[in-house]
Amino acid sequence: MTRTDTPPAWDERTQLTTFLTYVRATARAKCEELSDEDAVKAILPGSPLMTLSGLINHLRWVEYYWFRVVFLGEPDEGPWTDEDPDREMRIAVDIPLSRLLAEYAEEAARHDELVAAHDLDTKARMKRSDGSTVDLRWILLHLIEETARHNGHIDILREQIDGRTGD
């Protein structure tokens, strides 16, 4: 698949979905040819949970949370708990990177269908802690920002692990 941030059309929906697809593909590309052993290395002393595997699993579960829990109002069945709010990062070190990437791609495909079926102005079913309600547009923008920010983390980790840059 060719990664591009240039949408095939210039309407708002196409621009937003193109950018989300692009940042997702960038996260996956940064993991190419990486061993499972390297994917679980925590090389930043102040961030012991920050591994490539942990970040990919986090991105997968962040999408799940925003689309399925917040937007659709489904019960939260994510791996986190009140006692371990970063559990998705912790458990990722016991899962092969190829499986994490496949699960991330599967979630993304489900979410793409969800986005296609709803108007961007559709309000989420779950209210925020301040009582406000976000719409699908805001969720897409938030996920683009979150994924792009974590791509920077992934890029730094990958460079520290084996010197690979770019992508």
Side-chain angles (χ1 to χ4, degrees):
M1 170 173 111
T2 301
R3 261 183 320 125
T4 181
D5 61 357
T6 304
W10 296 101
D11 61 286
E12 181 181 22
R13 173 183 296 278
T14 304
Q15 290 180 56
L16 291 170
T17 57
T18 297
F19 264 98
L20 183 56
T21 299
Y22 175 74
V23 294
R24 287 171 175 159
T26 300
R28 288 191 303 275
K30 290 180 181 298
C31 294
E32 288 176 354
E33 301 173 16
L34 188 69
S35 70
D36 286 338
E37 180 180 277
D38 284 339
V40 299
K41 286 182 180 175
I43 58 177
L44 301 175
S47 300
L49 294 179
M50 191 172 293
T51 65
L52 285 162
S53 290
L55 287 165
I56 293 299
N57 205 36
H58 174 71
L59 290 173
R60 181 251 186 179
W61 284 104
V62 163
E63 284 205 22
Y64 159 85
Y65 179 78
W66 281 103
F67 282 127
R68 302 206 3 227
V69 177
V70 174
F71 186 71
L72 294 179
E74 294 179 3
D76 186 355
E77 297 177 2
W80 39 73
T81 65
D82 289 340
E83 298 78 31
D84 192 359
D86 298 317
R87 187 167 178 262
E88 79 278 11
M89 304 282 277
R90 193 176 322 285
I91 65 174
V93 299
D94 296 322
I95 304 169
L97 181 61
S98 59
R99 180 174 145 200
L100 294 171
L101 290 166
E103 289 174 356
Y104 182 34
E106 290 167 11
E107 283 291 323
R110 272 194 290 278
H111 301 147
D112 288 347
E113 290 177 9
L114 180 148
V115 170
H118 291 85
D119 187 87
L120 295 176
D121 292 323
T122 305
K123 295 290 187 185
R125 293 193 178 167
M126 177 187 269
K127 291 191 181 299
R128 296 170 49 124
S129 60
D130 66 0
S132 65
T133 306
V134 299
D135 58 19
L136 181 58
R137 174 184 296 100
W138 186 93
I139 291 171
L140 287 167
L141 287 166
H142 175 69
L143 289 171
I144 292 164
E145 175 274 328
E146 172 113 1
T147 307
R149 181 168 40 89
H150 287 311
N151 278 346
H153 299 135
I154 292 170
D155 199 36
I156 290 167
L157 292 175
R158 184 63 190 257
E159 184 174 353
Q160 292 297 309
I161 289 167
D162 64 7
R164 185 168 171 177
T165 60
D167 295 326

